[in-house]
Amino acid sequence: MLLYVLIVLVLLGAIAGGVIASRRRSGRGGVEAPERPPEDAPVHEAPSSVLEVPPATAVQAPAPPVAAPLEAPEREAEAPGPPRPLRERLGRARSSFGQALVRVFKRETLTDADWEDVEAVLLQADVGVAAATRIVDDLRARSRDVAPEQLLDVLRQELVQIIGDADRSLRSADGLTIWLVTGVNGTGKTTTIGKLALREHRNGRRVILAAADTFRAAADTQLERWAERAGAEVVKQAPGADPAAVAFDGVKAANARGADLLIIDTAGRLHTKKNLMEELSKIRRVIEREAGPPAEVLLVLDATTGQNGIAQARAFTEAAEVTGIVLTKLDGTAKGGIVIAVQQELGIPVKLVGVGEGPEDLEPFDPAAFVDALVG
Ligand code: GDP
């Protein structure tokens, strides 16, 4: 009997052991136990295999982790995600402008007070007095022939017409292309340069950035961070150096290294400060003397500063012959109408719009797409 009981126990034990072993093999039951050592596992056990690696391999082992951070921006540069539609990126500009007008145009007949509302919406969106007056006059005239709900379409056409046709591509030179980037402090010059460098690097160009903002502490570090991300090189001097000398160095280095594109960052300057504007003229003269006129002189305007941007654009154009405008921070303002004011009052083409702080948040300016996104 005892023997019989022992045999049964042994058999039961064998069956139980087999089940546990097979559950472990199949990964079920205590799923993570085989992969992850228990928390209190002796620390020396894991590295012991590293200690056993022959010395040559051990020396080479750290290489991948070091290489990885350097390669990451490259990979990021090669594989942008799908672009978000402009409508989404315009954010507040879009909702404030379009929705307010839709509400007015939904009314059956439009009274004088309604037309004043339309004008107020346009002015609040920074369209500017000249453009707002023109738009309201034209819409009122057309409202005699079309139903109110069609007025939004008429407005779209009107806005596209005011913005007008222009060559909005960034121009290139036959040899070295130079883009000089200007604007008041904090408008987004360095960020825009970073975005541009990344875009042009992806287009296969060898890009050099000249850090001619020698005034602001850490401006060159900020530029270097963008350069690393964009696969560009940076030319710089000590803080406080003559920015025209940095521009000069930039041209020399770009020619010597066979670069395709030199983008020159400049210090933010108040357009009302005469000596600073003269310094900008000097930078331009040095570039011209060394390499001919820059293919583009871009003025970076912060859309949130509204009508002050017009005064800035006038002063910068006088000092450095601005060829195109980059309108930044359109994602963060309800005043997208500044695009229309800039076109109406200055006639300098808006070439690019900044719609965020990320590397992909720079769009070529397409009037029809912009108006669609703005009006909704
Ligand atoms: P700079 O002084 O003209 O060189 O200006 P920066 O490039 O340093 O930009 C000033 C600030 O504006 C930074 O915080 C940028 O991230 C931010 N910025 C630049 N462009 C845009 C944009 O298009 N949208 C938003 N929301 N922020 C921007």
Side-chain angles (χ1 to χ4, degrees):
M1 183 63 188
L2 189 62
L3 187 64
Y4 177 75
V5 170
L6 274 175
I7 289 170
V8 168
L9 281 174
V10 167
L11 276 176
L12 280 173
I15 290 166
V19 168
I20 288 167
S22 82
R23 281 171 74 93
R24 279 207 177 137
R25 271 197 305 275
S26 70
R28 292 182 293 126
V31 181
E32 289 175 2
E35 276 89 39
R36 195 187 293 167
E39 307 240 314
D40 57 355
V43 179
H44 66 268
E45 269 186 26
S48 69
S49 63
V50 175
L51 293 176
E52 283 158 23
V53 173
T57 321
V59 170
Q60 285 165 6
V66 171
L70 292 176
E71 283 171 13
E74 284 294 321
R75 278 202 300 276
E76 186 190 344
E78 303 307 334
R84 276 167 61 215
L86 186 59
R87 296 165 64 88
E88 251 175 56
R89 289 161 170 238
L90 279 188
R92 290 168 57 207
R94 177 179 170 246
S95 50
S96 114
F97 192 89
Q99 287 170 13
L101 291 176
V102 168
R103 274 198 298 277
V104 178
F105 292 153
K106 267 190 179 150
R107 295 169 196 162
E108 272 189 16
T109 49
L110 295 174
T111 63
D112 283 351
D114 292 331
W115 286 113
E116 278 167 24
D117 283 352
V118 172
E119 188 163 6
V121 170
L122 294 171
L123 289 174
Q124 269 163 25
D126 256 340
V127 163
V129 177
T133 312
R134 172 178 162 180
I135 292 166
V136 170
D137 287 351
D138 287 356
L139 282 178
R140 274 191 99 144
R142 291 292 307 277
S143 69
R144 293 181 204 117
D145 316 320
V146 301
E149 66 266 21
Q150 287 173 297
L151 282 176
L152 215 52
D153 272 340
V154 178
L155 174 68
R156 279 196 197 96
Q157 290 158 17
E158 181 86 8
L159 292 176
V160 172
Q161 212 181 351
I162 291 177
I163 293 170
D165 289 333
D167 178 7
R168 298 179 193 279
S169 59
L170 294 186
R171 286 175 297 191
S172 288
D174 283 340
L176 172 67
T177 293
I178 302 178
W179 295 343
L180 176 64
V181 181
T182 66
V184 303
N185 212 11
T187 50
K189 289 180 297 300
T190 312
T191 307
T192 301
I193 290 169
K195 294 171 181 175
L196 276 174
L198 180 61
R199 193 182 82 172
E200 296 305 319
H201 170 75
R202 279 186 189 141
N203 289 339
R205 285 174 124 176
R206 180 163 184 189
V207 182
I208 293 194
L209 309 180
D213 179 355
T214 56
F215 181 73
R216 183 162 60 100
D220 54 352
T221 320
Q222 190 189 352
L223 200 66
E224 275 167 338
R225 273 207 303 274
W226 274 105
E228 196 179 314
R229 194 177 210 166
E233 298 154 63
V234 173
V235 171
K236 65 174 190 173
Q237 283 193 17
D242 178 358
V246 181
F248 176 86
D249 280 1
V251 175
K252 290 278 173 239
N255 278 326
R257 297 178 204 174
D260 305 295
L261 173 64
L262 170 67
I263 312 180
I264 303 176
D265 191 12
T266 59
R269 62 198 71 232
L270 265 183
H271 55 294
T272 47
K273 293 269 190 271
K274 202 161 177 283
N275 57 334
L276 292 180
M277 296 311 277
E278 272 164 11
E279 186 186 80
L280 185 61
S281 304
K282 182 178 161 195
I283 297 173
R284 191 193 153 102
R285 276 200 307 279
V286 166
I287 299 168
E288 236 175 298
R289 196 185 63 213
E290 296 304 312
E296 292 285 352
V297 178
L298 297 173
L299 172 63
V300 179
L301 284 184
D302 175 343
T304 64
T305 56
Q307 293 294 308
N308 188 262
I310 308 291
Q312 290 171 22
R314 287 212 175 91
F316 276 95
T317 298
E318 214 170 280
E321 296 173 46
V322 173
T323 57
I325 285 172
V326 182
L327 202 59
T328 57
K329 309 189 193 178
L330 267 174
D331 53 309
T333 178
K335 295 176 176 291
I338 186 70
V339 173
I340 288 108
V342 165
Q343 290 293 156
Q344 163 94 18
E345 298 189 28
L346 300 170
I348 304 170
V350 175
K351 296 200 164 181
L352 298 160
V353 291
V355 285
E357 296 181 86
E360 312 297 331
D361 297 329
L362 187 70
E363 302 245 345
F365 180 62
D366 171 350
F370 175 78
V371 166
D372 268 353
L374 191 68
V375 176

